[in-house]
Amino acid sequence: MRPYLLLTPGPLTTTETVKEAMLTDWCTWDEDYNIGIVQEIRRSLVELATDRPDEYTSVLLQGSGTYCVEAVIGSTVRSNEDYLLILSNGAYGDRMGTIATYYGIRHYVMKFEETQIVDPQQVDSYLAEHPEVTHVSVVHCETTTGVLNPLAEVAAVVKRHGKLLIVDAMSSFGGVPLNMTQLGIDFLISSANKCIQGVPGFGFIIARRSELERCKGVARSLSLDIYDQWETMEKGHGKWRFTSPTHVVRAFKQALSELQEEGGVEARHRRYQANHDVLVSRMRALGFQSLLPDEIQSPVITSSLYPHAGFDFKSFYTKLKGHGFVIYPGKISQADTFRIGNIGDVHPADFERLAEAVKECL
Ligand SMILES: *Cc1c(COP(=O)(O)O)cnc(C)c1O
């Protein structure tokens, strides 16, 4: 059932057992589904994110990760009273700016180079000069390049200024250790098909309960109202407002058990790091250079520069696919790159095999 491995940032390669979990049909009204699956997932997500689970809560929402980013911005930031500062060093940060524009939210996108991290000092200066800011949003791992932003430093600045902090941890949550309580994150967003290693179909928000409780009536979209979705899930003990992706949710529960079996987020992080290390050392030996300096590189996805001008990515891609590996094109304008994802049910030995295949495809 695996014609090739997906070395992509999601959807990614999942285990057979995660796929098999989708072979049962579930009734959305039945407690086997609501209490047995949905509530268990909601509790596990909070426990993964913080050591103070009673102060946080989670909401699951139909759609891809972007739906959840839009739902959080649209359900927490008021159009007239509030002001959102968006920190961006890539396409996902920019997308938050697009969302804010659609909603008519007062905002400012602080832009950084795609090959650099978000600079906490610049954030500090901006917040000192702009008391009108109420919310700050940032992407943890910018999947555009694979850069890992200095979340602890940024969060410390944002909290020192007393602002609400929204973090797009889509491609890092479950694969890079993080503690919402220590960092002071108010809303964290991720989705089923990234580091938890489920299949695509829904995303989730982990929220500081006291802040989410203040969001009643803020949303300007019915289906993307996270307060309403949350209230239904709380009162209905795991009930979704509208049809939920039942099979995907069941697969996600299996994926969460497999994360625990692996040893939790720390163990998964070590595996992703080992994947990345094998990838980079082998690619360097073959003459490839990484786009990013090692100090700001995440273990999630790695961008490589084309080895020479006129490198034919399309043909390289097709040949590699013939060897059983699907990789990802680049996404930045400043340099010609391609990307290889290290997340999913993939292991260092797969990257050893990949390097052999790359050698043959050059
Ligand atoms: C995957 C991803 C998203 C969401 O993308 P979708 O295509 O909507 O699933 C958002 N932010 C980051 C950083 C991502 O990696």
Side-chain angles (χ1 to χ4, degrees):
M1 288 211 262
R2 265 188 188 176
Y4 34 70
L5 287 184
L6 299 184
L7 301 180
T8 54
L12 35 66
T13 303
T14 56
T15 61
E16 293 300 311
T17 34
V18 161
K19 287 187 273 280
E20 277 163 12
M22 290 187 283
L23 295 176
T24 306
D25 301 313
W26 299 90
C27 171
T28 55
W29 280 93
D30 192 87
E31 60 181 36
D32 287 351
Y33 179 68
N34 293 327
I35 294 171
I37 300 175
V38 180
Q39 292 296 73
E40 290 286 324
I41 289 174
R42 293 182 62 215
R43 189 174 319 119
S44 303
L45 287 175
V46 171
E47 284 166 3
L48 280 181
T50 171
D51 50 356
R52 304 279 288 275
D54 43 315
E55 291 170 20
Y56 295 81
T57 184
S58 66
V59 198
L60 316 184
L61 185 70
Q62 298 92 332
S64 83
T66 304
Y67 290 60
C68 291
V69 177
E70 177 169 342
V72 168
I73 293 176
S75 305
T76 62
V77 191
R78 294 164 178 83
S79 291
N80 298 318
E81 299 137 64
D82 295 338
Y83 194 109
L84 174 64
L85 170 64
I86 298 163
L87 314 176
S88 176
N89 54 346
Y92 294 103
D94 289 350
R95 191 177 292 173
M96 296 201 267
T98 308
I99 292 168
T101 302
Y102 263 75
Y103 279 76
I105 288 169
R106 294 190 302 160
H107 68 283
Y108 174 65
V109 181
M110 185 182 279
K111 290 271 232 172
F112 299 88
E113 294 294 326
E114 287 173 320
T115 51
Q116 286 172 6
I117 51 171
V118 164
D119 175 10
Q121 264 176 347
Q122 269 175 260
V123 181
D124 196 14
S125 312
Y126 188 89
L127 291 177
E129 287 160 24
H130 295 272
E132 69 273 24
V133 172
T134 51
H135 298 66
V136 179
S137 65
V138 65
V139 176
H140 186 202
C141 170
E142 227 328 329
T143 323
T144 310
T145 53
V147 65
L148 192 66
N149 279 318
L151 190 53
E153 289 81 353
V154 172
V157 168
V158 172
K159 290 290 122 180
R160 186 146 32 78
H161 287 274
K163 313 299 182 189
L164 256 88
L165 179 57
I166 299 170
V167 176
D168 170 350
M170 206 73 68
S171 64
S172 58
F173 186 72
V176 178
L178 150 173
N179 182 329
M180 284 181 75
T181 309
Q182 271 169 20
L183 295 169
I185 300 171
D186 298 288
F187 294 91
L188 178 141
I189 307 145
S190 188
S191 75
N193 59 281
K194 305 245 174 162
C195 296
I196 310 277
Q197 298 182 186
V199 301
F202 74 95
F204 53 87
I205 296 112
I206 306 168
R208 191 188 298 282
R209 184 180 279 273
S210 57
E211 287 302 335
L212 182 57
E213 280 168 352
R214 298 176 59 217
C215 295
K216 188 180 172 82
V218 176
R220 279 133 286 169
S221 158
L222 169 67
S223 38
L224 299 181
D225 184 343
I226 60 165
Y227 179 87
D228 206 39
Q229 180 89 343
W230 173 73
E231 194 181 41
T232 302
M233 281 190 173
E234 286 284 288
K235 290 187 177 155
H237 306 288
K239 216 186 129 352
W240 297 51
R241 285 180 306 168
F242 315 125
T243 301
S244 73
T246 47
H247 302 79
V248 174
V249 173
R250 178 61 189 84
F252 189 74
K253 181 160 190 284
Q254 175 64 25
L256 278 170
S257 315
E258 292 178 13
L259 174 60
Q260 292 307 337
E261 280 160 30
E262 184 171 348
V265 178
E266 307 271 341
R268 182 153 293 179
H269 180 243
R270 282 195 296 277
R271 173 164 61 85
Y272 290 168
Q273 191 65 53
N275 290 346
H276 168 79
D277 292 348
V278 171
L279 173 72
V280 169
S281 68
R282 297 295 183 276
M283 291 297 275
R284 283 183 183 157
L286 292 169
F288 288 89
Q289 274 186 300
S290 304
L291 171 72
L292 300 174
D294 293 344
E295 313 81 70
I296 62 170
Q297 170 71 57
S298 72
V300 171
I301 186 167
T302 313
S303 300
S304 296
L305 294 165
Y306 283 8
H308 52 79
F311 174 71
D312 184 353
F313 174 73
K314 191 84 226 299
S315 121
F316 178 67
Y317 172 90
T318 309
K319 283 192 244 168
L320 261 187
K321 186 173 158 190
H323 281 79
F325 299 99
V326 165
I327 63 169
Y328 230 46
K331 202 175 182 170
I332 68 168
S333 45
Q334 304 155 352
D336 285 326
T337 58
F338 60 86
R339 292 177 290 170
I340 298 182
N342 308 307
I343 60 178
D345 181 34
V346 288
H347 303 263
D350 296 315
F351 289 86
E352 302 280 3
R353 290 194 301 112
L354 171 73
E356 290 306 310
V358 167
K359 205 175 186 174
E360 287 179 35
C361 296
L362 283 176

